[in-house]
Amino acid sequence: MKGLKKWGIFVIIVFTFVGSYFFSHSTPEMSIRTYLLFHGYLTKALKTEIYMSNETPVKGKYYCKNSGIGPDFIAVEKTVLGLWYVDLKNSGGA
């Protein structure tokens, strides 16, 4: 019975981490906010406004209103699984 309890707790913890990972990469905006959050912009990552540029949405560029955080524009890519990731090679501006 103790082994089953430990196994159940382990499964719940794994599902929590996997679910939060999928949630943080579910949209381009969430992916950018997650990127900014883990790079030291704790409160600004939640407060900044993110705008989409006029490029294709599959590999588009998004602009943050507060240019004091990170690069001026951030490129994102959509993977086969439908998750969005920040593409630092195509991001830039200063």
Side-chain angles (χ1 to χ4, degrees):
M1 207 56 160
K2 286 184 181 181
L4 186 60
K5 253 187 181 179
K6 288 181 182 179
W7 184 253
I9 291 172
F10 175 74
V11 169
I12 289 172
I13 290 172
V14 168
F15 278 134
T16 301
F17 280 113
V18 169
S20 64
Y21 181 79
F22 281 126
F23 177 73
S24 65
H25 294 284
S26 60
T27 64
E29 291 85 5
M30 285 298 296
S31 179
I32 292 171
R33 291 186 194 283
T34 302
Y35 168 77
L36 292 174
L37 183 73
F38 284 115
H39 281 84
Y41 305 106
L42 302 177
T43 58
K44 292 180 181 180
L46 300 174
K47 291 182 180 180
T48 189
E49 294 181 28
I50 299 172
Y51 300 100
M52 184 178 164
S53 69
N54 293 331
E55 294 188 17
T56 59
V58 175
K59 190 171 184 178
K61 292 181 182 174
Y62 286 78
Y63 293 92
C64 295
K65 186 173 184 181
N66 186 358
S67 61
I69 58 173
D72 286 341
F73 65 89
I74 298 173
V76 291
E77 285 187 41
K78 188 174 185 179
T79 62
V80 177
L81 295 174
L83 299 176
W84 292 86
Y85 291 98
V86 172
D87 182 18
L88 291 178
K89 290 184 277 186
N90 295 322
S91 299

